[in-house]
Amino acid sequence: MLEQLSGLIEAAPPLPVVVLACLGVYLSGVSLYRVYLSPLSPFPGPKLAALTGWYEFYYDIIKDGQFYLKVQKLHEKYGPIIRINPWELHASDPVLFSQIYSSGVKHRIEKYASSQQGLLPKLNRSGSVVKMEDLFTVVSADLVAAFSFDDAVDLTETDELQLTGSIYSALQTVARVLAWLNHFSWVTGLINAIPPTLLLRLAPTVATNNRLYLLVKKQFDSSRAARISTSKSTVTTSDDESTDELLSPDTKLIVHLLNSNLPPHERTPERVCAELLTISMATIFNIPRVMMVTTYHILANPDIKEKLRSELDDLLGPDLDSKQETPVWIKLNKAEYLKACAKEGLRLFFGALRGSARRNLDAPIVYKDWVIPPGTPVGMSAWMLNTDPEVYPDPLAFRPERWLPGNHKSEMDRNFASLGRGSRTCLGIHLVYVFMRDLLVAMFGPGDRPELTLYETEESDVATTVSGLSGLAKRGARGLRVVVEWMSAC
């Protein structure tokens, strides 16, 4: 018996052959299932995309964030719903946007302060060349600190351009790195396992982001300590007084987070700091991006610049800094061309070129003859929605006139996806518009204001053409640089 068993073992193929054979059978089974047997197999798209996520990886990483353009071509070939990898679908029809990113239906779905005073002092040297991304980053950092913390950090009053500029550059790197992590999520665990001191040596970019985190943590600790001290030295406030505090327009974001009705484990210092850091990073990165796009197009088109200046001069009078009977913000509600410039800038900013997918875990999504199974990730692209030529003629051109009364159509609002919608609406959507309005008035309004001229800047230096965590400019882009000349109102 032992001899027979020994003979069988000797006759058996080598172990590597067995392993390779088993691996071949497994891969064949997975391939067969993904391409022909999966619940997503009826949906059109390249077989290679259905077979493996490396198809998406090639365009997303090797081609440097160009998968959104490939997806657009696939929609042109296959239709409004396509399969872009073994697990995910992508839709192009704007009718589906409200279903995928629903906020009115209870599905389980995964996944102001004026800025003018802070901006103008940094443009105080006539004839100087200014890198506007650094300037916008400073003011953005001041903005997020002003509405988030009790003890706001005024970076415009300190020599912090180098710090905030490095933060902006670091956030660009983070946006690119996160594109990799989208394909290799397990790497996140490895990064978290590396001791912080070692990580700072291995990745200098992390050091800059860590400085931002420490700034947020310092402000959090200061605000929290102040509230604890106040609560110990005063009589306990009533529920009505607490409610009045939360409803006050002067109440900071940190107060809302600490006094929310979230469970205690979601209001820990670590969790609150993480939320504040996310909001800070989003503000410091995205507002400079959208302001660079908008400002470039205004400066590159003298007619648009002149129309904007003319409207602001008529509405605000010759001297914006003088005391006015009607508050400036009320007058600016009538500034249709100003609002149109901001909206058009946001449209061409795009936000995230490829929106994050969402899964409806409770019910299928029905679209024409298609039934998308519950739990299927489905995404849509802000790039495709914002550049639909049937909705926005000459879609890549900066044309504020398209948003003016008489030209504005409801389909334009339906397709506009730069700030998301439904469950994916930007939390600071109103703040973005107010902030853009203030900055544009500071640069192009009446009174003693800077005359800005483009300096060695092309559209490709600011245009959003690379998909990352958010939209990015091409590698090597120089950003928006301008020559500053001060023009007196006299």
Side-chain angles (χ1 to χ4, degrees):
M1 186 69 175
L2 291 176
E3 292 180 357
Q4 292 178 345
L5 182 59
S6 176
L8 289 174
I9 293 175
E10 292 178 358
L15 182 60
V17 175
V18 175
V19 172
L20 288 176
C22 292
L23 181 61
V25 172
Y26 170 77
L27 292 177
S28 298
V30 170
S31 300
L32 180 65
Y33 174 80
R34 288 179 174 180
V35 177
Y36 298 106
L37 303 178
S38 165
L40 302 186
S41 59
F43 291 89
K47 297 298 182 185
L48 188 58
L51 178 64
T52 175
W54 291 103
Y55 181 87
E56 178 183 355
F57 175 87
Y58 173 76
Y59 289 99
D60 220 11
I61 304 301
I62 306 301
K63 302 294 287 185
D64 193 25
Q66 300 302 294
F67 189 56
Y68 73 99
L69 293 176
K70 183 62 178 180
V71 168
Q72 183 178 34
K73 293 180 180 179
L74 293 178
H75 276 295
E76 293 171 357
K77 180 177 180 180
Y78 293 104
I81 297 183
I82 60 172
R83 191 178 181 186
I84 59 173
N85 61 43
W87 318 276
E88 185 179 338
L89 301 178
H90 194 277
S92 63
D93 192 331
V95 172
L96 276 169
F97 196 90
S98 59
Q99 293 190 59
I100 296 172
Y101 303 100
S102 172
S103 62
V105 181
K106 292 185 178 179
H107 295 316
R108 288 185 296 146
I109 299 178
E110 297 178 306
K111 286 229 168 169
Y112 165 56
S114 177
S115 317
Q116 298 177 27
Q117 299 305 315
L119 174 70
L120 297 181
K122 291 298 180 180
L123 297 176
N124 59 2
R125 290 184 299 163
S126 188
S128 62
V129 177
V130 176
K131 195 173 182 180
M132 296 299 284
E133 70 182 38
D134 291 345
L135 185 78
F136 292 141
T137 301
V138 169
V139 186
S140 300
D142 287 345
L143 171 73
V144 73
F147 72 73
S148 296
F149 307 111
D150 293 322
D151 184 19
V153 178
D154 190 358
L155 294 179
T156 58
E157 296 300 323
T158 59
D159 190 18
E160 295 286 358
L161 274 175
Q162 184 175 1
L163 168 62
T164 51
S166 62
I167 287 177
Y168 179 81
S169 299
L171 291 179
Q172 290 189 84
T173 302
V174 168
R176 295 181 186 276
V177 169
L178 288 178
W180 280 81
L181 297 184
N182 184 51
H183 297 276
F184 305 106
S185 57
W186 53 270
V187 176
T188 304
L190 295 180
I191 295 176
N192 291 335
I194 300 176
T197 53
L198 178 59
L199 186 59
L200 293 180
R201 294 182 181 180
L202 296 175
T205 294
V206 178
T208 302
N209 289 331
N210 189 56
R211 293 174 72 185
L212 178 59
Y213 174 77
L214 293 176
L215 179 62
V216 170
K217 183 69 165 58
K218 178 181 178 181
Q219 293 299 311
F220 169 81
D221 290 340
S222 175
S223 297
R224 186 165 176 256
R227 293 189 61 77
I228 292 175
S229 176
T230 301
S231 65
K232 288 182 177 180
S233 61
T234 59
V235 179
T236 302
T237 58
S238 67
D239 291 341
D240 289 340
E241 289 173 328
S242 298
T243 300
D244 289 342
E245 179 186 18
L246 292 177
L247 293 178
S248 170
D250 297 324
T251 301
K252 306 301 183 180
L253 178 60
I254 188 173
V255 176
H256 288 282
L257 290 174
L258 290 174
N259 291 280
S260 69
N261 57 2
L262 291 170
H265 69 275
E266 293 190 7
R267 287 186 283 118
T268 62
E270 293 77 13
R271 175 63 184 270
V272 173
C273 283
E275 296 292 344
L276 291 170
L277 179 63
T278 299
I279 293 170
S280 299
M281 293 173 67
T283 304
I284 293 172
F285 181 74
N286 287 310
I287 285 184
R289 282 286 309 136
V290 67
M291 283 306 304
M292 283 194 288
V293 171
T294 307
T295 305
Y296 169 80
H297 284 290
I298 293 174
L299 294 178
N301 293 274
D303 290 344
I304 294 176
K305 178 181 175 182
E306 181 56 35
K307 288 179 182 178
L308 179 59
R309 281 186 177 272
S310 178
E311 180 185 69
L312 295 176
D313 287 346
D314 292 342
L315 284 173
L316 302 179
D319 189 358
L320 180 59
D321 298 322
S322 62
K323 186 175 180 179
Q324 302 188 32
E325 294 182 2
T326 304
V328 171
W329 67 269
I330 293 181
K331 293 182 177 182
L332 290 177
N333 286 334
K334 301 178 182 179
E336 296 295 343
Y337 200 75
L338 171 65
K339 290 185 284 186
C341 286
K343 194 80 177 238
E344 186 73 346
L346 278 164
R347 184 183 70 84
L348 293 178
F349 157 65
F350 301 115
L353 289 169
R354 176 191 170 192
S356 58
R358 285 296 178 269
R359 301 192 294 177
N360 187 334
L361 301 178
D362 298 322
I365 297 176
V366 180
Y367 173 75
K368 296 183 179 180
D369 295 331
W370 296 104
V371 178
I372 302 174
T376 302
V378 187
M380 296 192 73
S381 166
W383 160 265
M384 294 186 63
L385 292 170
N386 285 10
T387 59
D388 185 344
E390 295 184 5
V391 178
Y392 307 105
D394 196 5
L396 296 181
F398 186 85
R399 292 183 177 176
E401 289 77 13
R402 69 173 95 237
W403 297 100
L404 295 177
N407 299 331
H408 186 187
K409 300 178 181 178
S410 60
E411 292 83 358
M412 296 166 62
D413 292 324
R414 180 199 65 188
N415 275 48
F416 185 78
S418 296
L419 297 175
R421 201 157 61 242
S423 65
R424 289 297 298 167
T425 299
C426 171
L427 293 176
I429 182 170
H430 301 296
L431 189 66
V432 170
Y433 282 113
V434 171
F435 193 52
M436 291 185 69
R437 179 197 71 187
D438 278 5
L439 286 176
L440 291 175
V441 171
M443 292 186 289
F444 302 107
D448 292 337
R449 291 295 182 265
E451 180 69 31
L452 307 179
T453 307
L454 291 175
Y455 176 78
E456 296 183 0
T457 302
E458 300 175 354
E459 184 175 357
S460 61
D461 289 317
V462 301
T464 304
T465 57
V466 176
S467 177
L469 176 63
S470 186
L472 299 162
K474 67 178 184 180
R475 291 185 185 274
R478 296 170 294 183
L480 177 62
R481 296 179 294 175
V482 301
V483 176
V484 180
E485 296 289 349
W486 277 91
M487 308 296 292
S488 174
C490 299

